[in-house]
Amino acid sequence: NAGVTQTPKFQVLKTGQSMTLQCAQDMNHNSMYWYRQDPGMGLRLIYYSASEGTTDKGEVPNGYNVSRLNKREFSLRLESAAPSQTSVYFCASRQGPNTGELFFGEGSRLTVL
Amino acid sequence: AQKITQTQPGMFVQEKEAVTLDCTYDTSDQSYGLFWYKQPSSGEMIFLIYQGSYDEQNATEGRYSLNFQKARKSANLVISASQLGDSAMYFCAMSVPYSGAGSYQLTFGKGTKLSVIP
């Protein structure tokens, strides 16, 4: 029973490098989300996908892009990483846009030097 | 704009005692949902309890209950009979309509760190 799986769990990048965080859920959920968590800031929404084929910006989308590859997978891309993007990233999914609780992945710790 | 406020950065409670974690919210929407999540030091986010804005009774899940006061816009989490394993960060969140039609998002508070003392 995997739930929400994120990879990689840890990553160190140099400023300007690019990378993609992968996320997959096996619960047949329609909605998927990417959050970042910084000390003292709680979780802030980066992007979300209410359903397959749609994506929308959240509170802090600058510097990120997303792809909803299919119903299961929702990736987050950093095209040119900056130190301000050092954070813990959480992928989450939900049965529907307004149905049920969010199920979270284990988080990905990203450090940008 | 929707907002969640958790005014207690840190709380201490004696083992076996009850504790209340505060959460206030601000929204102009009539339909919304309120959630509490627990984040232990290991980092995962664990769902605890949910309250819908139209639910007339306070939600309960085992030792967790949500004290929902709609007029005051508060959704406090009550943990009864605290255990050492309850030591963690606790986040209050609200689900409201957002952006495009049919879209909702969960907005999180900044969290309260609960420490349970033996």
Side-chain angles (χ1 to χ4, degrees), chain A residues 33 35 37 40-45 48 50 56-59 90 94 97-98 100-106, chain B residues 31 33 35 37 39 43-45 47 50 91 95-96 98-100 102-111:
Chain A
Y33 307 78
Y35 286 88
Q37 183 179 24
M41 298 295 292
L43 280 82
R44 293 181 292 170
L45 183 65
Y48 69 101
D56 282 292
K57 295 178 180 179
E59 181 184 354
F90 284 97
R94 200 178 184 193
N98 195 31
E101 72 269 29
L102 278 180
F103 289 81
F104 284 86
E106 293 181 338
Chain B
S31 176
F35 301 78
Y37 281 84
Q39 187 179 42
E44 72 269 31
M45 296 289 288
F47 167 72
Y50 167 80
F91 291 97
S95 176
V96 292
Y98 181 81
S99 188
S103 296
Y104 291 78
Q105 69 147 317
L106 260 72
T107 300
F108 284 80
K110 294 185 179 181

Side-chain angles (χ1 to χ4, degrees), chain B:
Chain B
Q2 292 83 13
K3 188 176 177 181
I4 290 276
T5 302
Q6 294 180 253
T7 57
Q8 306 152 315
M11 290 275 290
F12 290 89
V13 64
Q14 203 76 37
E15 193 177 7
K16 300 181 184 176
E17 297 291 314
V19 62
T20 298
L21 305 184
D22 294 341
C23 174
T24 59
Y25 59 92
D26 184 20
T27 181
S28 56
D29 293 290
Q30 297 302 309
S31 176
Y32 51 89
L34 295 156
F35 301 78
W36 278 91
Y37 281 84
K38 172 184 178 181
Q39 187 179 42
S41 58
S42 51
E44 72 269 31
M45 296 289 288
I46 302 168
F47 167 72
L48 295 178
I49 198 166
Y50 167 80
Q51 178 87 39
S53 59
Y54 294 116
D55 295 340
E56 295 187 351
Q57 297 211 339
N58 288 342
T60 60
E61 289 287 347
R63 293 187 299 112
Y64 304 108
S65 60
L66 199 153
N67 185 0
F68 181 46
Q69 298 188 39
K70 196 170 182 176
R72 297 178 119 183
K73 293 190 175 179
S74 73
N76 299 338
L77 177 70
V78 180
I79 305 175
S80 63
S82 297
Q83 301 172 356
L84 295 178
D86 293 335
S87 293
M89 282 290 289
Y90 288 81
F91 291 97
C92 181
M94 176 171 62
S95 176
V96 292
Y98 181 81
S99 188
S103 296
Y104 291 78
Q105 69 147 317
L106 260 72
T107 300
F108 284 80
K110 294 185 179 181
T112 296
K113 184 173 182 179
L114 178 66
S115 299
V116 181
I117 304 166

Side-chain angles (χ1 to χ4, degrees), chain A residues 39-100:
Chain A
M41 298 295 292
L43 280 82
R44 293 181 292 170
L45 183 65
I46 305 171
Y47 269 94
Y48 69 101
S49 171
S51 60
E52 186 179 357
T54 68
T55 61
D56 282 292
K57 295 178 180 179
E59 181 184 354
V60 288
N62 291 345
Y64 305 95
N65 285 302
V66 290
S67 295
R68 183 75 184 264
L69 305 170
N70 48 55
K71 190 172 185 179
R72 290 187 63 246
E73 298 172 289
F74 188 40
S75 62
L76 178 72
R77 182 161 179 83
L78 286 71
E79 290 290 352
S80 179
S84 61
Q85 294 178 303
T86 294
S87 188
V88 178
Y89 292 84
F90 284 97
C91 178
S93 71
R94 200 178 184 193
Q95 185 178 351
N98 195 31
T99 306

